[in-house]
Amino acid sequence: MKKYLVSLISFFMAFNPCFADSLYINPGDTFGNIVVTSPSFNIYNYGTINGSIDANDNNIFLYNTGTISGNIITNHGEIVTQIIRSDADRTNFMVNPSNFRVEIDTDSTNINFDNLKTINASEIIISNSRIEINDFTDWQNWDKNVDLQGPVYLIVKGAVHNGDIITHAVSGDTVIVEVQGLSGLYRADVVWDGGNWVITNVRETNYDKVEIETFESLRSNRSNDKLLSALDTANSWEEIEHIKNLSYQFNHKIMLRPVKAINNFSLLDMIKDETDAGAGVSTSYILSDSINGFGGRIYTGQKYENLYFNVGFTFNSFSYKDSLNDFSGLMYGLDIKSKQLIDKIWLRETFGANLTNFKANYVTDTNEIKNNPIGFSLFGAVDTGYDFNVFEGFVVVPIVGIVWQNAKVADVTDTEFYVRGGGEGKYAFITDGIKYEYSLESFVGTNGNFSTGIKIGFWSVEDEGGVDLGINAFKDEFDWRYKFSLTGKILF
């Protein structure tokens, strides 16, 4: 019965023109010959047309995911327009190419260019579409002229070169090229130049687009930041990561370098002799290629039999600058120094703690951005030595000890522990009631740290007061650091 009805409908259509504007053929249905009588006729074919379609001096708009076994007859210049909205709409049928045009309007659907490049039509219009191109050379070698209308996205998976002309695009108003093989730091811009769409690969500096929002937040507030200037010249993700590792905003251990440098000099400033009892004030200046800092210490000390000790309050102001970084901070701390004498053998210790208020913006901390974080550090050293009296007033002292410090800021902690060894040479004499002291010391650590220093002291035996001038140099894994100090002290 069904077969009979289909044959009857086909027979009717073959000899009776279509009086409606549209014809729908559902999936699974079969239709026979069609004669079009409407000036602008839409055919939606999801089934099978078992016969020809006679345009009959009328234009046809064809939406076809089904099968058309016969020809489309256009004997009088009628235009057949195939509407393609997805890859499923790309079907073949017989029509005079000179009367055949194709409109591709995908809206949000991607169509693979491999399904389009064999179209044999006199006119191709692509509008509001996203076309996936596996090989850009295939597009460039396409033998069709294309009208690009509205925003048209060409999603290219292969290589695109800077300056490439999008061939065959004879017109259009908005063309966007997305090159999937292009580094994420670059984007492909398209400009209309001399009657052609030209592709230019542009370095992306809007880091929100490459998911580095911190950089854009930084740009909006400090557009001349050294980090941004360096990032904008990077040509790969590897360079980006390398630059990030050199910046305190991402590698927070860099913020601890001046803290550790100041602590290292404190660990060299141990009690040298009994004149460190009493009270004193010292000032210092630290410098290197990247660090500048002023500091001081106020202390008071006592002697108990063969034990000397003092307690001090320290403060330091520093700045850290290099090609990428620029930050500063204030350090406040307490330390305790002691020395025990056992004949010519002695043992001395230093322990301290510091709180650092950093002036440093845009510090990434556990997926947050923080300004002016607080840092904390602990440090200590224990040395032992033996005084060899070479001749009157001249002493040579071999020394060995252990050093430890721990510094923390934001989400990082930097800890080091090492053994150091070295020695000191001291010479002292008294002239006209003034005791003169000269000393030279050097240490080397198992971690490669090296230090050396000299001290010149003047002490009034009668007034029990005096001053020391000191110069120290310390080399760590990053740089040479230098400290100049002046200490005044008095005994009670």
Side-chain angles (χ1 to χ4, degrees):
M1 182 67 180
K2 181 177 180 181
K3 182 177 180 181
Y4 172 76
L5 289 175
V6 170
S7 300
L8 182 61
I9 292 172
S10 300
F11 176 81
F12 179 81
M13 290 299 302
F15 294 97
N16 294 276
C18 301
F19 295 102
D21 291 334
S22 300
L23 172 64
Y24 292 87
I25 303 174
N26 295 319
D29 289 350
T30 301
F31 220 84
N33 296 328
I34 299 173
V35 178
V36 176
T37 58
S38 176
S40 181
F41 191 71
N42 299 304
I43 298 177
Y44 299 87
N45 178 38
Y46 304 101
T48 301
I49 299 177
N50 248 341
S52 62
I53 302 173
D54 188 350
N56 193 30
D57 286 335
N58 298 292
N59 294 327
I60 298 174
F61 293 89
L62 180 59
Y63 302 79
N64 185 61
T65 60
T67 302
I68 302 175
S69 62
N71 296 337
I72 300 178
I73 302 169
T74 55
N75 291 328
H76 305 94
E78 307 95 324
I79 300 298
V80 177
T81 301
Q82 182 183 16
I83 309 299
I84 295 178
R85 297 167 298 181
S86 68
D87 282 330
D89 291 337
R90 176 62 189 105
T91 54
N92 293 314
F93 40 80
M94 298 298 295
V95 62
N96 186 347
S98 62
N99 299 91
F100 182 40
R101 67 195 294 270
V102 172
E103 289 187 8
I104 302 166
D105 191 344
T106 66
D107 196 11
S108 61
T109 303
N110 289 9
I111 290 185
N112 197 298
F113 177 68
D114 289 346
N115 294 325
L116 303 178
K117 61 186 180 182
T118 58
I119 290 177
N120 191 16
S122 62
E123 183 180 4
I124 297 176
I125 299 171
I126 302 177
S127 62
N128 304 309
S129 300
R130 296 176 62 89
I131 309 299
E132 293 183 348
I133 304 173
N134 295 324
D135 187 343
F136 193 61
T137 303
D138 289 343
W139 176 285
Q140 298 295 75
N141 293 332
W142 200 18
D143 61 351
K144 303 297 180 184
N145 288 327
V146 185
D147 184 8
L148 305 178
Q149 298 180 359
V152 174
Y153 291 79
L154 301 182
I155 316 302
V156 182
K157 298 180 181 179
V160 172
H161 302 99
N162 188 53
D164 278 353
I165 294 174
I166 303 177
T167 59
H168 320 300
V170 297
S171 60
D173 47 17
T174 304
V175 181
I176 300 165
V177 174
E178 296 180 4
V179 183
Q180 294 185 356
L182 198 62
S183 166
L185 292 178
Y186 288 84
R187 69 176 189 274
D189 273 0
V190 181
V191 296
W192 184 257
D193 184 15
N196 295 296
W197 289 109
V198 181
I199 298 174
T200 59
N201 294 334
V202 178
R203 173 65 161 77
E204 181 62 78
T205 57
N206 182 354
Y207 293 106
D208 281 343
K209 293 184 178 180
V210 288
E211 299 179 355
I212 317 179
E213 291 82 359
T214 303
F215 296 158
E216 285 312 298
S217 175
L218 186 60
R219 190 187 301 279
S220 63
N221 292 280
R222 293 169 58 184
S223 59
N224 295 324
D225 190 88
K226 294 179 179 180
L227 174 60
L228 286 176
S229 298
L231 289 170
D232 289 348
T233 63
N235 293 310
S236 66
W237 283 113
E238 289 75 15
E239 287 187 57
I240 288 284
E241 292 302 319
H242 177 68
I243 292 171
K244 286 172 62 178
N245 191 55
L246 298 178
S247 166
Y248 78 85
Q249 280 106 335
F250 294 91
N251 182 1
H252 305 144
K253 285 189 176 182
I254 293 174
M255 300 176 66
L256 298 176
R257 291 179 188 176
V259 173
K260 292 177 63 178
I262 293 170
N263 289 345
N264 281 327
F265 281 117
S266 296
L267 290 167
L268 294 174
D269 187 18
M270 315 277 281
I271 288 183
K272 300 296 193 299
D273 52 52
E274 67 277 7
T275 58
D276 285 275
V281 177
S282 66
T283 60
S284 62
Y285 174 63
I286 294 175
L287 79 156
S288 69
D289 287 343
S290 55
I291 299 173
N292 283 277
F294 292 91
R297 181 174 185 262
I298 302 174
Y299 71 89
T300 181
Q302 291 294 328
K303 171 187 176 183
Y304 179 75
E305 295 184 351
N306 291 326
L307 171 65
Y308 298 84
F309 65 91
N310 66 55
V311 178
F313 169 75
T314 62
F315 59 93
N316 289 275
S317 173
F318 66 83
S319 64
Y320 187 98
K321 296 181 180 180
D322 61 22
S323 60
L324 280 179
N325 300 287
D326 189 349
F327 63 91
S328 58
L330 290 173
M331 293 177 61
Y332 309 91
L334 290 170
D335 59 27
I336 301 174
K337 303 177 187 290
S338 63
K339 183 176 182 180
Q340 299 86 43
L341 303 178
I342 308 171
D343 196 10
K344 294 184 178 182
I345 299 175
W346 50 259
L347 187 70
R348 65 189 184 191
E349 305 87 16
T350 292
F351 298 99
N354 286 312
L355 190 69
T356 305
N357 185 7
F358 287 95
K359 187 177 181 181
N361 294 326
Y362 303 98
V363 178
T364 57
D365 181 5
T366 317
N367 298 323
E368 293 184 67
I369 299 176
K370 293 184 177 180
N371 295 327
N372 306 324
I374 301 296
F376 184 72
S377 64
L378 296 169
F379 59 90
V382 178
D383 289 334
T384 185
Y386 185 89
D387 292 343
F388 288 98
N389 293 311
V390 179
F391 53 82
E392 184 178 355
F394 182 61
V395 178
V396 174
V397 188
I399 303 170
V400 65
I402 57 174
V403 178
W404 167 83
Q405 72 166 306
N406 177 276
K408 184 181 187 307
V409 65
D411 56 358
V412 299
T413 300
D414 193 357
T415 301
E416 64 178 3
F417 179 88
Y418 62 94
V419 176
R420 69 181 178 187
E424 182 180 13
K426 299 186 293 185
Y427 179 60
F429 61 92
I430 298 174
T431 300
D432 298 329
I434 302 297
K435 182 179 180 181
Y436 298 89
E437 298 176 318
Y438 304 91
S439 67
L440 171 66
E441 66 178 15
S442 291
F443 292 96
V444 62
T446 55
N447 63 345
N449 288 353
F450 174 79
S451 64
T452 187
I454 60 174
K455 185 183 76 171
I456 302 174
F458 307 92
W459 181 262
S460 172
V461 177
E462 182 177 352
D463 297 330
E464 295 188 320
V467 295
D468 288 336
L469 300 174
I471 301 175
N472 291 88
F474 190 96
K475 183 183 182 304
D476 57 21
E477 60 182 309
F478 304 107
D479 201 357
W480 280 95
R481 326 288 192 187
Y482 304 93
K483 179 181 179 180
F484 304 88
S485 61
L486 174 65
T487 302
K489 52 191 176 182
I490 189 170
L491 289 178
F492 302 136

